Amino acid sequence: MPRFVQIGAVVHKEFGPDTMVVDIRIEGGDHDREACIASYNARFSALRNALLATGLEASEIQSDRLDIAACQASKTKRERGFHRGGAAEGYEYRSSIAVEVPVSKRTLERLWKAVVDTDKGADFCIRFKLKDEDAAKAELLCEAVTEGRKRAEALASAAGERLGRVLSISHDFTDEEEWFGSSLDMDNEDDEASKASPSAAPEFNPATIEVECSVSVEWELLD
């Protein structure tokens, strides 16, 4: 059975995000399924055309699956739309449009204005990310293994040994991405974001993304 030394190392690094994902969520309902679908189609087409008018390519606009469900009609005036469960008295739909573009305050403001001017019932959420996450993780993995090897060599040298081949290696990553969003739903009295001026885009302050890599390596010990 070979003698070995097992060493772990953790490294982390902050990266400036280079990509933002804008998620535009729409939902609504009607007492008739066909009318419900027509309402969604009209809103989706209007939003898509508005986004295209900002200079986006059609390939940059991705739509999520349309979810339509039978539901129970709302009984109170303040409750909008429908609620699942009970006798089917209507239908509701939910879907979203995603746009992934390079980080740009100007682009964000154009997209925000397009949505505000087109559909005040939509939700506007933004996520900042790295376009090439694999490259960032590969960089950290190399640094973590290098750091682990330095520690293993120091221990082996102190014990009068030297390192041989790698017997096993494992690694893990954690990363944090910033999400923030603002509701454009002006009909929801309980929504604080809806009280803000619809002409003011969300604050543009993309935080750095911290990526952490941990490794555990076993090296064979040689005389």
Side-chain angles (χ1 to χ4, degrees):
M1 182 176 181
R3 293 172 300 126
F4 67 90
V5 59
Q6 181 176 3
I7 293 294
V10 179
V11 297
H12 63 88
K13 188 173 183 179
E14 292 185 345
F15 297 87
D18 56 10
T19 302
M20 60 184 184
V21 180
V22 176
D23 189 28
I24 303 161
R25 302 169 187 171
I26 54 176
E27 62 178 68
D30 204 287
H31 291 281
D32 179 80
R33 182 180 176 85
E34 285 67 32
C36 183
I37 295 174
S39 173
Y40 161 76
N41 286 335
R43 293 179 68 187
F44 173 80
S45 295
L47 282 168
R48 185 176 185 276
N49 290 335
L51 293 172
L52 288 172
T54 67
L56 290 178
E57 298 292 336
S59 60
E60 295 178 308
I61 303 173
Q62 303 296 323
S63 60
D64 194 11
R65 183 190 68 179
L66 172 62
D67 178 25
I68 299 178
C71 45
Q72 182 180 20
S74 170
K75 295 181 180 180
T76 65
K77 204 168 186 180
R78 287 191 63 188
E79 295 174 347
R80 301 182 304 104
F82 302 90
H83 300 274
R84 296 180 186 272
E89 298 183 11
Y91 295 86
E92 67 178 3
Y93 62 84
R94 292 186 177 89
S95 188
S96 63
I97 300 172
V99 176
E100 184 171 318
V101 291
V103 170
S104 165
K105 181 178 181 180
R106 183 178 179 183
T107 299
L108 173 61
E109 291 173 345
R110 288 205 310 266
L111 296 179
W112 171 268
K113 187 176 189 305
V115 174
V116 169
D117 292 345
T118 305
D119 192 331
K120 289 185 172 59
D123 287 331
F124 189 99
C125 299
I126 307 163
R127 175 167 60 98
F128 295 102
K129 56 174 284 187
L130 296 174
K131 185 174 183 62
D132 193 346
E133 295 179 354
D134 290 340
K137 290 181 176 180
E139 178 183 334
L140 260 68
L141 182 58
C142 288
E143 292 182 7
V145 172
T146 299
E147 177 62 26
R149 184 177 184 87
K150 289 179 181 178
R151 296 180 183 180
E153 287 175 339
L155 287 176
S157 177
E161 307 279 355
R162 57 191 176 87
L163 295 185
R165 61 192 176 92
V166 172
L167 299 177
S168 69
I169 184 169
S170 62
H171 69 281
D172 189 27
F173 290 101
T174 59
D175 56 72
E176 297 180 0
E177 297 176 353
E178 182 187 16
W179 268 100
F180 73 90
S182 295
S183 173
L184 303 184
D185 189 349
M186 305 305 289
D187 295 328
N188 189 347
E189 297 177 359
D190 295 329
D191 190 349
E192 291 296 327
S194 69
K195 299 176 184 178
S197 170
S199 62
E203 180 182 357
F204 185 80
N205 185 28
T208 56
I209 298 171
E210 182 174 343
V211 183
E212 180 180 280
C213 176
S214 60
V215 299
S216 178
V217 187
E218 287 185 356
W219 274 276
E220 183 182 19
L221 289 176
L222 302 176
D223 294 331

